[in-house]
């Protein structure tokens, strides 16, 4: 991409949708998973910090920065479970990728869709090293905005082709079944979580509630399953009964952040967990036996967003689906910012 430095490529929602379709949704998920895996394998190269969260009564607004010394990225994201009642999304996001050398932005992108894609790609990446071999059936508890993305990533990366859906709102499960109709899954809509987890080797929990909830209780969790817990991602917001955590081998993205936000906020700080990057880099084992219960306690970490922005930036070379934003004031003489402003006055009048 040849470009003037003051003009920033901008991928709006429309262009993001065009980009995903041009690449193909499952191919996009696989490509994205590949970049996330590559970045997780060089984990020590990154600046890492638990995200900066601003909590309010109904939600949270968060900033998620990281850098590998060459590129810097951050995402703005919110989580407002009550929003859907007013026709608004629970989660919306946008993000920026910048050049560390100059500090200039290289890309501004919508990230509501991209977050759903990167969350699903990361979940499937984790499941590839944690789920029981040959797993083909997944229960999805919570059939909102993230659900179809999760299903497709698990199919693309693991070959999951049977889904058991449950949502407290049956219309959400129907929506998910409708959206996935053309993708060749065998889909069963279930009456309860208990019913949905029957026969599933993988259980994805992706509900939204700003409180401690018990979506899964201990009696629902049989030996050998993999739990992909997505929805508990804030202080005071969890999905699993603590007894399940005591029976599981727990894998997290970045432990200092997950201890604040994840299911493991219910455990002591000493409780052992493994960071996913250690498994992907061959420094720690994933699943150890067929009977082990594995838990990916996902909250979403800045490096996944960094990888996603990197993947989008690289994809724009082949698929130029962006517009240009005149985002940076850039006078010909760098110190004459005020002069540039003065000279602009007649043309604005
Ligand atoms: P959403 O509001 O679109 O969907 C949530 C669904 O959960 C709704 O259909 C709701 O009816 C259902 N639900 C609520 N309580 C339930 C229960 N007890 N049993 C069954 N279903 C229930 O939200 P979304 O965008 O799909 O996000 C879901 C959750 O995932 C949110 O909490 C969000 O913060 C989280 N999330 C996590 C990550 C991550 O990286 N880990 C990324 C994105 C979103």
């Amino acid at each position: 991409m040849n470009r003037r430095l003051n003009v920033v490529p901008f991928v709006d929602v429309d262009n993001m949708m065009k980009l995903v379709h041009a690449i193909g949704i499952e191919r996009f998920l696989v490509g994205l998973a590949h970049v996330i895996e590559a970045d997780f394998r060089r984990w020590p190269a990154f600046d890492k910090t638990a995200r900066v969260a601003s909590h309010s009564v109904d939600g949270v607004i968060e900033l998620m920065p990281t850098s590998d010394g060459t590129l810097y990225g951050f995402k703005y994201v919110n989580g407002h479970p009550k929003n859907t009642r007013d026709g608004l999304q629970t989660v919306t996001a946008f993000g920026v990728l910048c050049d560390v050398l100059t500090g200039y932005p290289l890309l501004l992108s919508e990230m509501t869709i991209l977050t759903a894609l990167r969350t699903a790609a990361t979940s499937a990446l984790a499941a590839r090293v944690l789920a029981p071999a040959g797993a083909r059936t997944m229960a999805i508890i919570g059939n909102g905005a993230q659900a179809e993305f999760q299903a497709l990533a698990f199919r693309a990366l693991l070959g999951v082709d049977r889904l058991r859906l449950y949502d407290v709102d049956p219309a959400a499960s129907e929506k998910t079944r409708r959206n996935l109709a053309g993708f060749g899954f065998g889909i069963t809509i279930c009456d309860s979580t208990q019913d949905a987890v029957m026969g599933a080797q993988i259980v994805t929990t992706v509900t939204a509630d700003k409180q401690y909830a018990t979506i899964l209780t201990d009696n629902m969790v049989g030996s050998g399953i993999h739990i992909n817990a997505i929805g508990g991602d804030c202080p005071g917001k969890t999905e699993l009964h603590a007894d399940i955590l005591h029976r599981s081998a727990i894998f997290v993205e970045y432990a200092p952040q997950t201890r604040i936000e994840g299911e493991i906020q219910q455990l002591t700080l000493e409780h052992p967990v493994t960071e996913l990057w250690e498994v992907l880099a061959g420094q720690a084992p994933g699943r150890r036996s067929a009977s082990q219960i594995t838990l990916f306690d996902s909250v979403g970490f800045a490096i996944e967003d960094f990888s996603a922005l990197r993947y989008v930036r690289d994809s724009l070379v082949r698929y130029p689906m962006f517009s240009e934003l005149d985002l940076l004031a850039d006078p010909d003489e760098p110190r004459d910012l005020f002069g540039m402003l003065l000279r602009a006055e007649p043309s604005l009048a």
Side-chain angles (χ1 to χ4, degrees), residues 94-251:
F94 65 88
V96 178
L97 196 66
C98 310
D99 179 9
V100 168
L101 208 58
T102 60
Y104 273 38
L106 299 169
L107 175 71
L108 171 63
S109 179
E110 90 77 41
M111 289 194 78
T112 305
I113 296 167
L114 195 55
T115 292
L117 289 160
R118 74 78 156 127
T119 303
T122 307
S123 284
L125 205 51
R128 244 187 10 199
V129 288
L130 300 178
R136 289 184 58 187
T137 304
M138 175 159 82
I140 306 182
I141 316 301
N143 304 151
Q146 311 299 318
E148 296 90 340
F149 295 89
Q150 290 283 327
L152 287 171
F154 276 75
R155 192 172 79 164
L157 275 90
L158 281 95
V160 165
D161 59 1
R162 288 190 288 256
L163 301 175
R164 298 181 63 77
L165 306 178
Y166 174 67
D167 195 293
V168 283
D169 178 2
S173 303
E174 269 309 330
K175 173 267 320 176
T176 302
R177 170 152 61 189
R178 213 170 37 247
N179 283 340
L180 292 176
F183 289 91
F185 287 102
I187 298 178
T188 308
I189 294 184
C190 303
D191 292 336
S192 64
T193 300
Q194 175 108 44
D195 180 18
V197 302
M198 295 282 283
Q201 295 102 20
I202 300 171
V203 176
T204 289
T205 56
V206 62
T207 64
D209 214 339
K210 198 168 167 44
Q211 63 178 9
Y212 290 108
T214 310
I215 307 299
L216 281 187
T217 50
D218 197 29
N219 61 314
M220 296 180 197
V221 177
S223 74
I225 71 160
H226 173 61
I227 304 169
N228 173 42
I230 300 299
D233 60 355
C234 256
K237 176 168 168 251
T238 56
E239 294 180 307
L240 308 186
H241 192 284
D243 288 351
I244 298 172
L245 308 183
H246 289 288
R247 289 169 61 209
S248 305
I250 302 174
F251 297 81

Side-chain angles (χ1 to χ4, degrees), residues 63-78:
L63 288 178
M64 303 172 69
T66 190
S67 171
D68 66 356
T70 303
L71 295 170
Y72 171 94
F74 76 86
K75 180 170 85 173
Y76 166 101
V77 62
N78 77 300

